[in-house]
Amino acid sequence: VQYCNETLTRKASGSARVIYIIDDKKVLKLAKNEKGIAQNGVESDHMLNQWYGDIIAKVLESDDEDRWIVSEYAKKISPGKFKQLLGVSINQFHAYLAELHPDKKGGFYTEKIDDATRKILDVNNNEFMYDLVDMVGNWDMGIGDFSRISTFGEIDGRLVITDYGLTQEVYNTHYHKKPQGKY
């Protein structure tokens, strides 16, 4: 951590990881705790990177113990840029994703999805949505993080997911608060 703080530019930080810019093509995701190690482990999964490399910021290198990973650098995007890249707002996108995965935790949405939005996001016509729905199902991911603009970025003019390490297993093991005491 000291080395990174002294030699790299800090891009962002969450409850589990700190992201540092290595150069204009790569970032370092350094785990702060067990949650970060678990998320790095998911993101560095070879199959996940191979199957969904078109929609994620791919992991290029990783520590054997998942203390750190090096991923593709994705530029931050605004809600307006998200809409430009995908054709719908992030709120419409997430409401549609919640409709497709009602069993996943993702919040409550009153946003109405019109026919034009449905047509844009239809998994039969939209490769990004098709791959994301497939990834959520295959890796048992919750969809809550996909409501935040900070989960997305841009690489070479395409929308990518930059934070995809929270599976249901990671959530249950590291985030879910278990009841305390007797009932």
Side-chain angles (χ1 to χ4, degrees):
V1 172
Q2 183 178 348
Y3 170 80
C4 291
N5 285 335
E6 290 173 359
T7 60
L8 299 173
T9 302
R10 187 176 172 146
K11 181 179 182 193
S13 181
S15 67
R17 302 183 286 183
V18 182
I19 293 96
Y20 295 94
I21 298 171
I22 295 173
D23 59 31
D24 63 345
K25 298 284 184 195
K26 298 178 283 199
V27 295
L28 172 73
K29 294 183 179 184
L30 185 62
K32 291 178 169 179
N33 48 39
E34 292 297 320
K35 296 186 291 190
I37 289 171
Q39 289 181 41
N40 281 349
V42 171
E43 289 187 12
S44 66
D45 184 282
H46 179 71
M47 287 283 252
L48 190 142
N49 279 266
Q50 190 174 20
W51 290 0
Y52 305 106
D54 290 340
I55 67 164
I56 62 171
K58 291 186 269 193
V59 172
L60 307 170
E61 195 176 336
S62 64
D63 172 53
D64 290 339
E65 296 177 24
D66 298 318
R67 294 170 297 195
W68 57 265
I69 58 177
V70 174
S71 295
E72 291 179 298
Y73 178 91
K75 292 189 297 188
K76 274 184 151 182
I77 61 170
S78 65
K81 187 65 171 181
F82 182 96
K83 186 171 184 174
Q84 180 186 351
L85 293 170
L86 194 60
V88 300
S89 74
I90 190 162
N91 292 338
Q92 291 169 328
F93 159 81
H94 193 256
Y96 185 74
L97 186 60
E99 209 176 80
L100 294 176
H101 285 288
D103 58 321
K104 304 288 183 181
K105 291 185 171 145
F108 300 97
Y109 297 92
T110 57
E111 179 118 5
K112 297 280 187 212
I113 304 167
D114 60 34
D115 290 339
T117 299
R118 285 182 194 287
K119 187 174 182 179
I120 291 168
L121 294 176
D122 184 296
V123 295
N124 294 314
N125 300 320
N126 186 309
E127 282 186 54
F128 184 89
M129 282 303 293
Y130 178 87
D131 285 348
L132 176 58
V133 168
D134 193 63
M135 184 174 77
V136 165
N138 284 332
W139 262 262
D140 196 20
M141 294 178 173
I143 61 168
D145 282 352
F146 299 121
S147 68
R148 294 198 292 259
I149 198 67
S150 61
T151 297
F152 300 92
E154 179 184 4
I155 298 174
D156 297 330
R158 65 184 168 87
L159 181 66
V160 295
I161 303 164
T162 59
D163 186 3
Y164 49 94
L166 188 61
T167 62
Q168 198 61 49
E169 180 181 348
V170 170
Y171 175 80
N172 289 342
T173 303
H174 301 284
Y175 288 88
H176 184 68
K177 304 262 190 265
K178 294 177 177 58
Q180 301 293 318
K182 296 180 183 179
Y183 293 96

